[in-house]
Amino acid sequence: IIDYLKVTNKSITYSYDHWIKVGFALLNSFSTEKAYEYFIKFSEMDEGKFSIENCSKQWEKLVKSNTKSKRKNTIKTIFDLAREAGYIFKYEFY
């Protein structure tokens, strides 16, 4: 998905709402370290808005507030946003 978005110059974190959803989805799907790595990669695609400082601060907020009520965002959230951006899955997972 990341490679596709880079090649097509698209983003799934273009809005604040999507950015937060992607962050929670990553937190709920990967280890914190791996999720942060992916969060940076997705965020970097918003060149005009991206700042490593702001991204790191937002990540800290997400980690602190990741409660069960926010667990509705999963890897499926990222799949859905990627599909909206034109990504075509070779295999459907759900």
Side-chain angles (χ1 to χ4, degrees):
I1 292 172
I2 291 171
D3 290 341
Y4 167 81
L5 294 171
K6 283 183 181 180
V7 168
T8 59
N9 199 30
K10 294 183 179 181
S11 170
I12 63 171
T13 57
Y14 57 86
S15 73
Y16 181 79
D17 183 53
H18 283 189
W19 191 42
I20 299 306
K21 285 180 181 181
V22 167
F24 283 128
L26 293 168
L27 271 172
N28 293 323
S29 304
F30 299 98
S31 69
T32 303
E33 295 79 21
K34 193 56 138 175
Y36 176 70
E37 179 184 322
Y38 288 139
F39 187 67
I40 295 296
K41 287 182 180 188
F42 280 116
S43 299
E44 286 174 333
M45 294 180 206
D46 299 307
E47 293 178 27
K49 301 178 203 174
F50 179 73
S51 156
I52 190 67
E53 295 83 16
N54 289 341
C55 198
S56 295
K57 286 178 186 176
Q58 185 61 52
W59 181 255
E60 289 175 25
K61 291 177 186 177
L62 291 173
V63 170
K64 288 178 183 174
S65 67
N66 192 26
T67 61
K68 289 183 181 181
S69 64
K70 301 205 173 60
R71 295 206 183 269
K72 64 183 177 179
N73 296 294
T74 65
I75 195 68
K76 184 181 178 309
T77 303
I78 292 171
F79 292 166
D80 291 344
L81 292 171
R83 187 176 286 110
E84 287 175 20
Y87 184 82
I88 299 171
F89 288 89
K90 186 173 181 178
Y91 303 102
E92 288 296 323
F93 299 103
Y94 53 92

